[in-house]
Amino acid sequence: MRQIEIRLDPALVESLMDTIGPLLKQLENELASPAEFPDDDELLEDFWKSDLLNSQREEIKVISELFDGEFMLSGRAFINSNEMDKVIRACSAIRLKIRDTLLATVTDSQLEEGDLEDVQWTDEMQIAYAAYALFASLQELIITQMNQPEPEESGDGYDWGSDDEDLEDER
């Protein structure tokens, strides 16, 4: 899988990240969604939740690094193939937290269906929804790229994928 480059308006992303910054801090210390352990083993449950939280911290860190100072100067961010899974999971955690806090008055069906006409929007909610949409789009972009087959490379650097007969037919 190849690296993905995204280009966004740094000022827009900065305002979104400023708004969700407190949520990112919360995600450093608490799971995005409650983890229900199936057993009654407290020691194992504590270890399991600690492992989940450490993974979540690492994933959130990848998002924070994606929109770092270099991004704010260039408007360009790169997602390496080895970080795509982490970015997808971080986006999920962020979206869950946004949903449960800043967009708590919006129902799941309104978000899923895009039926937002009856929502009483505040400025903070509008920015939160924009962040929610950004992270949803980022997830969709990565998943789409992950499902694309790797292009085959030919000796000359590009595989045209047709032979001379096909070229004659097109003329």
Side-chain angles (χ1 to χ4, degrees), residues 96-112:
L96 281 170
K97 200 64 167 171
I98 291 171
R99 166 70 192 94
D100 290 343
T101 57
L102 300 172
L103 297 178
T105 60
V106 181
T107 67
D108 287 335
S109 64
Q110 285 175 306
L111 283 173
E112 290 170 14

Side-chain angles (χ1 to χ4, degrees), residues 49-160:
K49 286 182 178 179
S50 175
D51 188 51
L52 287 175
L53 186 57
N54 286 333
S55 294
Q56 181 176 281
R57 283 182 187 131
E58 185 179 328
E59 294 155 4
I60 297 298
K61 182 180 176 192
V62 171
I63 288 287
S64 296
E65 290 172 352
L66 191 63
F67 300 118
D68 63 3
E70 186 176 319
F71 169 82
M72 293 304 167
L73 293 174
S74 68
R76 296 170 56 190
F78 299 92
I79 305 169
N80 295 320
S81 60
N82 62 339
E83 294 179 332
M84 289 181 189
D85 288 337
K86 291 177 184 176
V87 172
I88 289 172
R89 287 190 300 272
C91 288
S92 292
I94 293 167
R95 291 177 65 219
L96 281 170
K97 200 64 167 171
I98 291 171
R99 166 70 192 94
D100 290 343
T101 57
L102 300 172
L103 297 178
T105 60
V106 181
T107 67
D108 287 335
S109 64
Q110 285 175 306
L111 283 173
E112 290 170 14
E113 296 169 12
D115 181 20
L116 304 169
E117 293 176 17
D118 296 331
V119 175
Q120 300 299 313
W121 293 101
T122 64
D123 290 342
E124 184 180 52
M125 284 177 66
Q126 287 177 349
I127 295 170
Y129 182 72
Y132 184 88
L134 169 67
F135 290 112
S137 297
L138 190 53
Q139 284 179 303
E140 188 176 319
L141 171 69
I142 293 169
I143 291 168
T144 301
Q145 292 300 314
M146 291 173 87
N147 290 327
Q148 296 289 327
E150 283 287 326
E152 293 182 29
E153 293 192 26
S154 66
D156 64 355
Y158 185 80
D159 184 7
W160 289 95

